[in-house]
Amino acid sequence: MRLLTLSIASLLVCAAAPQTDPALERAHKLAEKGMHELHAYAYLDQLVNGVGPRSAGSKGADKAVSWGLAKMKEIGLANVHEIPCMVHTWERGAAEKLTLKSNGKSTPLSCCALGNSIATAPNGLTAEVIEVRSDEELAALGVKAKGKIIFFNRPMNPALSNTFDAYGGAVGQRVNGAAAAARLGAVGVLVRSMTMAHDNVPHTGSMNYEKGVTQIPAAAVSLVAADRLSKTIKDNPQAMVTLKMHCRTLPDRPSASVAGEIPGTEAGRDIVVLGAHLDSWDITPGAHDDGAGVVQCLEAARLIKSLGWKPKRTMRFIFFMNEENGGEGAKAVFESMKGAGETVYAALESDSGGFAPRAFGASLDAEGVEALGPYMPALKLFGIERIDAKGRGGADIGPLAALGAKLFGLVPESQAYFDVHHSRKDTLASVNPRELQMGAHAMTMLSVLLANE
Amino acid sequence: MRLLTLSIASLLVCAAAPQTDPALERAHKLAEKGMHELHAYAYLDQLVNGVGPRSAGSKGADKAVSWGLAKMKEIGLANVHEIPCMVHTWERGAAEKLTLKSNGKSTPLSCCALGNSIATAPNGLTAEVIEVRSDEELAALGVKAKGKIIFFNRPMNPALSNTFDAYGGAVGQRVNGAAAAARLGAVGVLVRSMTMAHDNVPHTGSMNYEKGVTQIPAAAVSLVAADRLSKTIKDNPQAMVTLKMHCRTLPDRPSASVAGEIPGTEAGRDIVVLGAHLDSWDITPGAHDDGAGVVQCLEAARLIKSLGWKPKRTMRFIFFMNEENGGEGAKAVFESMKGAGETVYAALESDSGGFAPRAFGASLDAEGVEALGPYMPALKLFGIERIDAKGRGGADIGPLAALGAKLFGLVPESQAYFDVHHSRKDTLASVNPRELQMGAHAMTMLSVLLANE
């Protein structure tokens, strides 16, 4: 691209000429301030590199709570406080080790324990491996599974253009694979990482045991490791792996979500909530998941305050604790708001990465979305092309529907999200400052419009 | 993000159930094949890392032409041939050097010559520096500019959500700054790089001299260097810089664009063109600009052939030569098609990066865009949210409008494009394989639909 032929349409959209649409006028002011300052990225640096990994119950999580409180106070939010909860606490311990032995040759494979897994015996778990790609293939194994490690190797379907759909179609084996395999007498499970990035980095995530079913160790392997393992056991079904993991679940620990607010000018109106989750998995700086969401909410608060906007409804900013492995923060927030007799007009969540915004998903029907039509010119300035009816809000704000909330979830571009998700690659460097900021503006704009309805 | 609540809407979109819309059926077949193979990225690796930088008239450009011919033949395109042209040829020579001297302290500043600039004297150009941010500020200098180096430091406007608009508002100083400054007696120009990435990497690009106006050396400086220079000369207007550049313009050389085609099943119908430019600037691997566009056209051809689709209109795939610094390839292509009496039904170009597709710009009015409504479900599968009326096609296909062509330009997400544009950062690693492939599919789908109209 050498020179530019500006279309007349784009020039008209961009001109700083006075706007007759007051929402669009606000949007231009927001863009003018926010895109020059790019403060969301500076906040993200603090959270991702200053605080670092912050899995629920860890010292990192405590540090994140303190950071969240301090930032909300620094911005000048009112009623900054913790919402306490007890959190499920799981520790990885020393690094995992997976070794493949075939025909006298020993090869290390890149892996990581899945969240909630038990450890192996100290000298490791050694067994033959059987690969399956579906529940049906597992069921067909029957007694053959006994004493084996089951290798769940179903890839995310790359043909799906929304990678969250591809994730949804593959993540069941990670969450429920161990219980299903244990029912057949398997002694451990390995799961292909939930990613389409073909490299040697493993991606963790939660798994669940079932009551009454033997608990067996569960680990994720990188795609390079998965492909090597698959090929090796095809060539030599007698190949063995040895898995060593040192993880453990500890008694629940006290932790907290963090909240602060901009009081509405019209008392008695119900609340507008902006939320994201403060915790991350232990092996990742959690830049996209969900540092991005946290700093977008924080930046929304900062921008509204510093632009001197006065919403009619109270706006509450909430950093939820332990979305990744229990959701206790969301439950405690819901209970405390319910206990206080609060009602929620709308709740917005950002937990799909800090990539360029494309849409909001909304818990509305087509008619409800149509009623938001007048907001679209202002939202389009920040990349929002549409509001999708019957979309998802997000895991943390979900319960607030019971307090009356319309739910909105920010939908950024999804192609690269699972390249980094739940892995050590989810770093500040994987985030573009402008894309992150545009998401903060989309959240700011929609929430302010809703707060003034 | 932990687990996924699939919306009913997204499940319906993704279901592999039979489609009643034949375009959407085709789109699903395209996705199924293309997203598994991700072949555009493999092609890009060959062009970017195998061929490398390929500025017009260079050995790299010759290599790129050979590569393009070989790939088109490998795919089995018909009538693979060169379209010769003479190209403006400019060489950088040894690396540039810029040194800032203030209060006895000497600091190197990161810079690169702008395309077409003359060299400095072998021992360099040394002068004081005056900063300006607009044509008005330059004009106001009057005789003060004499003997000085003019430093054009107007940033791209970050408040504009489309970065191409921000580029359009700043690039004039790079293209025309030297001539304007020379008219006032300035001896050289430095220009703030056309980027919003605040780092120490300079971005090159074309500049033009004017007939009858003294030619003076012109270089781009990185944003870090620009800010340092700006601060230093504010503190100490007597600060001096020394610029050493060894670039030169050579006599025009013979080169060529590359074309190949899939013959239409209905002879006599006019042609559908898919195009992108093969050349890059000399200091960059040119992954997004415009390796991405080239491999998207190539991948479109491969997919159409291997899916056995038989377009009614002939589809011609063209890799244009020297978009960056002369546009002779586009002129020669136009002349040869005009000379052969060919007419063009539609022309599609990809020259805005290999990021996730969002739209097409089209040389149509609102009515013309509305008529394409039935195509949207198929295009949406690849991220196309809309077709913008009165949009741009692209520099290379522009002339084809005179042969009857409706013009279409792929519009990918633009936030990160100028972070890498015309710099050594425009590498394969800055491209996401899925986003690149989605762009190839958007080009494939729209061109096939148009070819069958």
Side-chain angles (χ1 to χ4, degrees):
Chain A
M1 220 284 303
R2 178 181 35 149
L3 294 178
L4 187 73
T5 316
L6 280 179
S7 71
I8 292 170
S10 71
L11 276 173
L12 286 176
V13 166
C14 300
Q19 306 290 340
T20 49
D21 171 357
L24 190 53
E25 252 183 84
R26 285 199 157 190
H28 279 290
K29 276 182 195 155
L30 191 59
E32 194 56 44
K33 183 167 179 61
M35 297 308 293
H36 275 90
E37 298 177 345
L38 294 181
H39 217 89
Y41 195 73
Y43 282 142
L44 191 60
D45 187 20
Q46 295 173 16
L47 180 57
V48 158
N49 296 324
V51 174
R54 46 197 181 278
S55 62
S58 71
K59 280 182 188 157
D62 292 346
K63 220 171 143 185
V65 168
S66 301
W67 176 85
L69 291 167
K71 288 295 130 182
M72 285 193 183
K73 285 175 187 163
E74 181 184 299
I75 285 172
L77 293 191
N79 190 22
V80 174
H81 65 289
E82 295 184 20
I83 301 146
C85 59
M86 295 297 289
V87 291
H88 182 72
T89 302
W90 175 84
E91 275 184 358
R92 185 171 304 275
E96 309 84 346
K97 218 175 152 181
L98 179 64
T99 313
L100 172 62
K101 282 178 196 150
S102 177
N103 299 325
K105 212 181 130 188
S106 187
T107 314
L109 297 180
S110 180
C111 81
C112 66
L114 290 176
N116 299 326
S117 175
I118 60 165
T120 62
N123 61 342
L125 167 69
T126 299
E128 285 179 14
V129 178
I130 303 181
E131 175 181 334
V132 297
R133 298 207 169 199
S134 65
D135 296 347
E136 293 68 33
E137 282 184 32
L138 178 68
L141 287 184
V143 292
K144 280 189 215 154
K146 206 167 173 180
K148 300 293 195 300
I149 289 175
I150 302 299
F151 170 33
F152 291 93
N153 196 26
R154 179 164 85 258
M156 285 171 68
N157 181 357
L160 299 177
S161 42
N162 184 329
T163 60
F164 284 82
D165 295 337
Y167 181 68
V171 73
Q173 59 191 342
R174 187 194 80 200
V175 177
N176 305 313
R183 261 192 238 104
L184 299 179
V187 293
V189 304
L190 296 172
V191 185
R192 183 183 182 89
S193 283
M194 294 296 117
T195 185
M196 291 186 275
H198 209 279
D199 58 30
N200 207 17
V201 177
H203 297 238
T204 191
S206 65
M207 55 81 60
N208 296 330
Y209 291 119
E210 271 176 37
K211 242 185 180 165
V213 179
T214 309
Q215 300 192 345
I216 59 175
V221 293
S222 72
L223 264 51
V224 165
D227 290 352
R228 178 164 302 166
L229 180 57
S230 180
K231 190 183 177 315
T232 303
I233 60 178
K234 212 162 281 163
D235 295 348
N236 172 22
Q238 275 74 52
M240 306 281 270
V241 299
T242 297
L243 176 64
K244 283 187 192 175
M245 305 203 301
H246 312 277
C247 38
R248 57 178 181 158
T249 296
L250 298 164
D252 287 2
R253 286 182 181 167
S255 185
S257 302
V258 175
E261 59 192 43
I262 298 174
T265 54
E266 297 188 7
R269 289 214 187 204
D270 36 21
I271 297 166
V272 169
V273 168
L274 283 88
H277 70 87
L278 199 47
D279 60 299
S280 74
W281 280 102
D282 61 322
I283 55 170
T284 170
H288 283 287
D289 186 14
D290 185 23
V294 167
V295 303
Q296 284 170 338
C297 291
L298 193 62
E299 176 67 344
R302 186 188 76 88
L303 286 165
I304 295 165
K305 288 286 288 183
S306 59
L307 287 163
W309 292 353
K310 308 280 183 204
K312 290 181 185 168
R313 289 191 174 80
T314 291
M315 299 184 72
R316 186 170 298 162
F317 303 85
I318 309 180
F319 302 159
F320 292 88
M321 181 48 67
N322 206 14
E323 188 269 351
E324 295 293 4
N325 201 19
E328 298 93 347
K331 282 171 215 149
V333 165
F334 169 72
E335 291 299 339
S336 80
M337 292 179 76
K338 190 182 166 196
E342 292 178 327
T343 55
V344 181
Y345 183 70
L348 292 77
E349 182 165 332
S350 170
D351 185 17
S352 300
F355 298 98
R358 291 193 75 131
F360 278 102
S363 67
L364 300 171
D365 56 15
E367 209 176 326
V369 166
E370 213 184 309
L372 299 177
Y375 294 177
M376 290 311 295
L379 294 174
K380 275 188 180 165
L381 209 64
F382 309 119
I384 301 296
E385 306 272 0
R386 57 198 150 76
I387 297 178
D388 292 333
K390 297 176 190 165
R392 58 193 292 271
D396 283 317
I397 61 170
L400 302 181
L403 302 181
K406 300 173 189 179
L407 306 179
F408 296 88
L410 182 64
V411 179
E413 176 54 49
S414 80
Q415 297 313 315
Y417 184 66
F418 292 96
D419 290 0
V420 302
H421 182 245
H422 293 182
S423 83
R424 62 176 152 81
K425 292 194 296 173
D426 188 8
T427 62
L428 188 71
S430 72
V431 179
N432 178 278
R434 287 181 55 87
E435 296 186 355
L436 179 71
Q437 188 73 27
M438 300 268 277
H441 292 184
M443 293 285 284
T444 307
M445 201 65 231
L446 180 57
S447 61
V448 165
L449 288 168
L450 292 166
N452 284 316
E453 260 183 358
Chain B
M1 220 284 305
R2 181 180 32 150
L3 293 178
L4 187 75
T5 316
L6 280 179
S7 72
I8 291 168
S10 70
L11 275 173
L12 285 176
V13 166
C14 301
Q19 307 288 342
T20 49
D21 171 358
L24 190 52
E25 252 183 84
R26 285 199 157 189
H28 279 290
K29 276 182 196 154
L30 191 59
E32 193 58 44
K33 182 165 180 63
M35 296 308 293
H36 274 90
E37 298 176 345
L38 294 179
H39 216 89
Y41 196 74
Y43 282 142
L44 190 59
D45 186 20
Q46 296 172 15
L47 180 57
V48 158
N49 296 324
V51 174
R54 46 198 181 278
S55 63
S58 70
K59 280 183 188 156
D62 291 346
K63 219 170 143 185
V65 169
S66 302
W67 175 84
L69 291 167
K71 289 294 131 182
M72 286 191 182
K73 285 175 188 164
E74 181 184 298
I75 285 171
L77 293 191
N79 189 22
V80 174
H81 65 289
E82 294 185 22
I83 301 145
C85 58
M86 295 298 290
V87 290
H88 182 71
T89 302
W90 175 85
E91 275 185 357
R92 185 170 304 275
E96 310 83 346
K97 217 173 151 182
L98 179 64
T99 312
L100 173 62
K101 281 177 196 149
S102 177
N103 298 323
K105 212 181 132 187
S106 188
T107 314
L109 297 181
S110 179
C111 82
C112 66
L114 289 177
N116 298 329
S117 176
I118 60 165
T120 62
N123 61 343
L125 168 68
T126 298
E128 285 179 14
V129 178
I130 303 181
E131 175 179 335
V132 297
R133 299 207 170 199
S134 65
D135 294 349
E136 293 70 30
E137 283 184 31
L138 177 67
L141 286 183
V143 291
K144 281 188 214 155
K146 207 170 171 176
K148 302 292 197 300
I149 289 175
I150 302 299
F151 170 32
F152 291 92
N153 196 27
R154 180 164 85 258
M156 286 172 66
N157 181 358
L160 298 178
S161 43
N162 185 329
T163 60
F164 284 81
D165 295 337
Y167 181 70
V171 73
Q173 58 191 342
R174 186 195 79 199
V175 177
N176 304 313
R183 262 192 238 103
L184 298 178
V187 293
V189 304
L190 297 172
V191 185
R192 182 184 183 87
S193 284
M194 295 295 119
T195 185
M196 292 187 274
H198 208 280
D199 59 30
N200 208 18
V201 177
H203 298 239
T204 193
S206 65
M207 56 82 60
N208 295 329
Y209 291 119
E210 271 176 38
K211 242 186 181 165
V213 178
T214 309
Q215 300 193 345
I216 59 176
V221 293
S222 73
L223 265 49
V224 166
D227 291 351
R228 179 166 300 167
L229 180 58
S230 180
K231 189 182 179 313
T232 303
I233 60 177
K234 212 161 282 163
D235 296 347
N236 173 23
Q238 276 74 52
M240 306 280 272
V241 299
T242 298
L243 176 64
K244 284 188 192 174
M245 304 203 303
H246 313 277
C247 38
R248 57 177 181 160
T249 295
L250 298 165
D252 288 1
R253 288 184 180 165
S255 184
S257 302
V258 175
E261 58 192 45
I262 298 174
T265 54
E266 297 187 9
R269 291 214 183 203
D270 36 20
I271 295 167
V272 170
V273 168
L274 282 87
H277 69 86
L278 198 49
D279 60 301
S280 73
W281 280 100
D282 60 321
I283 56 170
T284 170
H288 283 287
D289 186 13
D290 186 21
V294 167
V295 302
Q296 284 170 339
C297 292
L298 193 61
E299 175 68 343
R302 186 188 74 90
L303 285 166
I304 294 164
K305 289 285 289 182
S306 59
L307 286 164
W309 292 354
K310 308 278 182 207
K312 290 182 185 168
R313 289 191 173 81
T314 291
M315 300 183 72
R316 185 171 300 162
F317 304 85
I318 308 180
F319 302 158
F320 292 88
M321 181 48 67
N322 206 16
E323 187 270 351
E324 295 293 4
N325 202 19
E328 298 92 349
K331 282 169 217 150
V333 165
F334 169 74
E335 291 300 339
S336 80
M337 291 180 76
K338 192 182 165 194
E342 292 178 325
T343 55
V344 181
Y345 182 70
L348 292 77
E349 181 165 333
S350 171
D351 185 17
S352 301
F355 298 98
R358 291 193 73 131
F360 278 101
S363 67
L364 300 171
D365 57 14
E367 210 176 327
V369 166
E370 213 184 308
L372 299 177
Y375 294 176
M376 290 311 296
L379 294 174
K380 274 188 179 165
L381 209 65
F382 309 120
I384 300 297
E385 306 271 0
R386 56 197 152 75
I387 297 178
D388 291 333
K390 296 174 189 167
R392 58 193 292 271
D396 283 316
I397 61 170
L400 302 181
L403 301 182
K406 301 173 188 179
L407 307 178
F408 296 88
L410 181 64
V411 179
E413 176 53 49
S414 79
Q415 298 312 314
Y417 184 65
F418 292 96
D419 290 0
V420 303
H421 182 245
H422 293 184
S423 83
R424 61 175 153 82
K425 292 194 296 173
D426 189 8
T427 61
L428 188 71
S430 72
V431 179
N432 177 278
R434 286 180 57 86
E435 295 186 355
L436 179 72
Q437 188 74 28
M438 301 269 278
H441 292 184
M443 294 284 286
T444 308
M445 200 66 231
L446 180 56
S447 61
V448 165
L449 288 167
L450 291 165
N452 285 314
E453 258 184 2

